[in-house]
């Protein structure tokens, strides 16, 4: 992301926060471009760019010869009742998975380049440091010569592992270079972690709703699942985990405690500590996906479950795909007491992760770029979230429920009137818009009236029109 892009995102966020705090209300006149540019020490062009984006998102309304005005009321949508409504019973027998066909269809639609990707959990390209990272990669290729063309160690490039260990301190986890295994993204880390602790026919506990690629992976591995409800306002409850593992013979538990995909739930630190403790007491490994941990909107990074691990039973998985580059495919696994098994599995999958991108990311981290990047990225992503939240409140039918995440890049909606969101997805695709239907986020027939949308998509002048169209489709299907 270049400096101008960061500046105009900062201006957008500033205005959105003024609206959220009540300093500006519906119908109020926004500060003039010149006044705002002076107050925020940015160019008139940057302020104008921010206002143009806010206008396209429906936050501002331009009136000839009068300036910009706050448009409509800021929505305050009820939270989806994912955990309050009748949901999965942690004491229900383990179930096989059968969502593969629908998941494949969703993935095929999401890979299309001719659609507005509201169904893809991604970070907008203009928010990623791709130009800077590519320059570092070019320098690595020039400086390292032939070394970049050969296999690296199975466990990964040592300077990168050292930087990852340092990063983990911010998440509250103490680890060293020897504890870290570099992987090709978080999905490979999760795959290795599951193979370390489970085999076909075993049962694992997962949250519901849960990322559909987890479900797809579990299905392909022949694993059975027990679902425990995730609540948007607090994630999974330790008591539900305890009930599930006490009733069944469980090989592992798989959770995303920080900004669960798709509902954005953030588990309280006390709950994380309790879950780690109760699983350790029963000898059950916890596989933790923390890919969104660095994308928090609050003042401090939430701790990961690994921070409370005293027995080496937490297998921590993450990557830089959401914050730096999905294409560089650099992730990591802290396998705890399962390191030897993890190295054995990694060697049989791909021998080692790509050397050039490991070197480039290591240098990017070592130079302090990542820390500065995150300070700019987080408010920019929060601005995207606030804009999407306002658009959903303005255009979707009354009775729509929506999460307001404290981090991550996705929002979970519950539509009124028992709308079939698989049919909704198909109708939206006819208009060039992708969404992710709720049915793919559970192994059971649940969330049929829910959907996940991404708010951190590339700049799209037609964003408001797209959200308005989705709202119209929902109203038609309700009728």
């Amino acid at each position: 992301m270049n400096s101008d892009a960061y500046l105009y995102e900062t201006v957008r966020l500033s205005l959105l926060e003024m609206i959220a705090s009540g300093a500006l209300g519906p119908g109020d006149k926004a500060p003039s471009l010149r006044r705002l540019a002076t107050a925020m020490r940015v160019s008139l062009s940057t302020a104008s760019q921010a206002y143009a984006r806010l206008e396209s998102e429906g936050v501002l309304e331009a009136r000839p010869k009068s300036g910009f005005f706050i448009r409509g009321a800021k929505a305050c949508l009820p939270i989806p009742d994912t955990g309050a409504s009748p949901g999965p019973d942690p004491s229900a027998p383990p179930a096989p998975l059968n969502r593969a066909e629908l998941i494949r269809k969703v993935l095929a639609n999401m890979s299309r380049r001719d659609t507005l990707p509201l169904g893809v959990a991604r970070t907008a390209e203009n928010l990623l440091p791709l130009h800077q990272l590519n320059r570092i990669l070019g320098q690595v290729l020039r400086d390292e010569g032939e070394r970049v063309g050969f296999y690296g160690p199975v466990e990964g490039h040592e300077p990168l592992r050292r930087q990852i260990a340092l990063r983990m301190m911010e998440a509250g986890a103490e680890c060293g270079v020897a504890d870290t295994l570099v992987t090709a993204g978080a999905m490979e880390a999760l795959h290795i972690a599951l193979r370390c602790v489970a085999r076909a026919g075993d049962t694992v506990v997962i949250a519901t709703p849960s990322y559909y690629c987890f479900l797809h992976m579990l299905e392909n591995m022949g694993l059975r699942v027990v679902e425990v409800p995730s609540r948007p306002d607090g994630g999974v409850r330790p008591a539900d985990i305890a009930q599930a593992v006490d009733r069944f013979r469980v090989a592992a538990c798989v959770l995303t405690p920080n900004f669960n995909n798709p509902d954005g739930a953030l588990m309280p630190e006390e709950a994380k500590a309790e879950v780690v403790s109760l699983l350790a007491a029963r000898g059950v490994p916890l596989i933790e996906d923390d890919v969104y941990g660095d994308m928090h909107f609050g003042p401090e990074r939430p701790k990961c479950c690994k921070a409370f691990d005293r027995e080496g039973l937490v297998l921590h998985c993450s990557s830089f795909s959401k914050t730096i580059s999905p294409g560089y495919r650099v992730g990591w696994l802290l396998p705890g007491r399962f390191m030897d098994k993890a190295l054995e599995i990694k060697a049989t999958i791909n021998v080692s992760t790509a050397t050039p991108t490991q070197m480039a990311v290591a240098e990017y981290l070592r130079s302090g770029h990542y820390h500065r990047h995150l300070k700019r990225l987080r408010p920019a992503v929060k601005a995207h979230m606030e804009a999407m939240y306002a658009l959903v409140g303005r255009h979707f039918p009354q009775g729509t429920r929506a999460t307001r995440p404290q981090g991550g890049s996705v929002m979970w909606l519950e539509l009124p009137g028992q709308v079939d969101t698989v049919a909704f997805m198909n109708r939206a695709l006819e208009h060039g818009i992708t969404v992710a239907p709720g049915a793919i986020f559970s192994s059971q027939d649940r969330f049929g009236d829910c959907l996940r949308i991404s708010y951190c998509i590339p700049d799209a002048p037609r964003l408001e029109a797209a959200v308005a169209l989705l709202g119209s489709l929902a109203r038609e299907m309700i009728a």
Side-chain angles (χ1 to χ4, degrees):
M1 180 204 251
N2 59 43
S3 58
D4 288 342
Y6 277 127
L7 286 173
Y8 102 77
E9 290 290 353
T10 302
V11 173
R12 286 178 64 246
L13 176 62
S14 177
L15 194 75
L16 287 168
E17 288 181 343
M18 282 191 276
I19 297 171
S21 68
L24 290 173
D28 288 348
K29 185 175 182 179
S32 69
L33 289 172
R34 192 171 302 278
R35 177 183 165 193
L36 190 70
T38 301
M40 299 197 68
R41 298 181 180 179
V42 298
S43 69
L44 196 61
S45 173
T46 298
S48 178
Q49 186 181 13
Y51 271 34
R53 175 67 186 273
L54 288 166
E55 184 183 11
S56 73
E57 295 167 344
V59 177
L60 295 181
E61 177 186 359
R63 299 178 185 174
K65 300 182 180 180
S66 298
F68 289 89
F69 291 80
I70 309 303
R71 181 180 170 188
K74 184 172 180 64
C76 186
L77 301 168
I79 298 174
D81 61 354
T82 303
S85 61
D89 181 358
S91 65
L97 292 157
N98 57 2
R99 287 291 187 268
E101 183 176 350
L102 180 57
I103 290 172
R104 282 194 295 270
K105 182 176 181 180
V106 171
L107 289 172
N109 290 337
M110 291 179 183
S111 63
R112 289 173 50 174
R113 304 297 295 179
D114 60 340
T115 61
L116 186 63
L118 297 185
V120 183
R122 62 190 292 185
T123 304
E125 287 92 336
N126 67 313
L127 301 183
L128 298 175
L130 298 178
H131 294 299
Q132 187 176 41
L133 196 59
N134 289 342
R135 284 197 298 270
I136 293 174
L137 177 59
Q139 189 64 48
V140 165
L141 293 174
R142 289 189 294 271
D143 292 348
E144 298 297 334
E146 295 181 353
R147 194 160 77 100
V148 299
F150 289 90
Y151 293 122
V154 174
E155 59 269 30
H157 184 52
E158 183 172 336
L160 175 59
R161 293 161 63 213
R162 185 179 303 114
Q163 292 300 322
I164 290 171
L166 291 172
R167 286 294 314 161
M168 289 305 303
M169 292 176 63
E170 187 174 337
E174 295 183 6
C175 65
V177 174
D179 304 311
T180 308
L181 172 63
V182 180
T183 61
M187 288 302 293
E188 185 185 60
L190 288 160
H191 179 77
I192 294 172
L194 278 165
R195 286 187 57 187
C196 282
V197 299
R199 58 184 179 181
D202 282 348
T203 296
V204 299
V205 174
I206 63 169
T208 186
S210 192
Y211 182 36
Y212 57 83
C213 282
F214 293 173
L215 300 177
H216 205 188
M217 182 185 298
L218 294 170
E219 181 176 0
N220 287 335
M221 294 179 68
L223 298 172
R224 299 168 66 85
V225 300
V226 172
E227 295 190 352
V228 295
S230 172
R231 295 163 174 82
D233 57 352
V236 299
R237 294 178 179 173
D240 290 337
I241 298 287
Q243 182 180 355
V245 297
D246 286 344
R247 185 174 180 85
F248 303 106
R249 184 176 180 179
V250 172
C253 182
V254 183
L255 297 177
T256 305
N258 292 330
F259 317 119
N260 179 50
N261 179 355
D263 64 355
L266 173 63
M267 285 180 64
E269 312 246 299
E270 304 79 28
K272 294 173 189 172
E274 186 176 348
V275 167
V276 172
S277 177
L278 71 87
L279 290 177
R282 295 159 174 80
V284 177
L286 170 60
I287 298 174
E288 171 186 36
D289 173 44
D290 194 41
V291 72
Y292 286 113
D294 279 345
M295 292 181 67
H296 59 92
F297 303 153
E300 295 184 1
R301 189 202 194 281
K303 287 185 178 180
C304 59
C305 286
K306 188 68 176 177
F308 306 101
D309 183 23
R310 302 294 178 265
E311 306 296 331
L313 281 171
V314 176
L315 295 89
H316 176 94
C317 309
S318 191
S319 81
F320 296 110
S321 294
K322 306 300 182 183
T323 54
I324 295 181
S325 168
Y328 272 54
R329 308 307 303 139
V330 175
W332 66 92
L333 169 64
L334 305 179
R337 65 169 68 171
F338 305 98
M339 175 59 89
D340 289 344
K341 183 65 175 177
L343 286 171
E344 176 187 327
I345 296 168
K346 170 69 176 177
T348 64
I349 293 176
N350 58 13
V351 182
S352 66
T353 306
T355 303
T357 52
Q358 285 192 76
M359 290 181 170
V361 172
E363 178 58 23
Y364 182 81
L365 296 170
R366 187 199 65 79
S367 301
H369 294 307
Y370 188 61
H371 176 73
R372 293 188 290 271
H373 166 65
L374 288 179
K375 290 180 67 175
R376 296 185 293 258
L377 175 67
R378 291 165 183 152
V381 175
K382 183 181 179 183
H384 279 262
M385 185 276 291
E386 294 286 5
M388 180 62 79
Y389 189 84
L391 288 174
V392 170
R394 182 172 298 117
H395 295 294
F396 271 64
Q398 185 174 4
T400 298
R401 295 172 174 265
T403 57
R404 196 169 184 175
Q406 301 174 55
S409 65
V410 294
M411 185 177 293
W412 185 243
L413 307 184
E414 181 184 326
L415 302 184
Q418 298 297 310
V419 171
D420 178 357
T421 53
V422 173
F424 183 87
M425 172 193 72
N426 292 328
R427 293 193 61 184
L429 189 62
E430 294 173 1
H431 298 275
I433 306 167
T434 66
V435 297
I440 62 174
F441 295 95
S442 170
S443 66
Q444 304 173 15
D445 292 325
R446 304 194 67 229
F447 311 123
D449 56 354
C450 296
L451 59 93
R452 188 198 71 185
I453 58 174
S454 173
Y455 49 77
C456 195
I457 64 171
D459 288 345
R462 61 191 181 103
L463 180 61
E464 182 178 13
V467 176
L469 175 62
L470 294 179
S472 296
L473 289 178
R475 280 189 290 274
E476 289 176 14
M477 295 182 73
I478 291 170

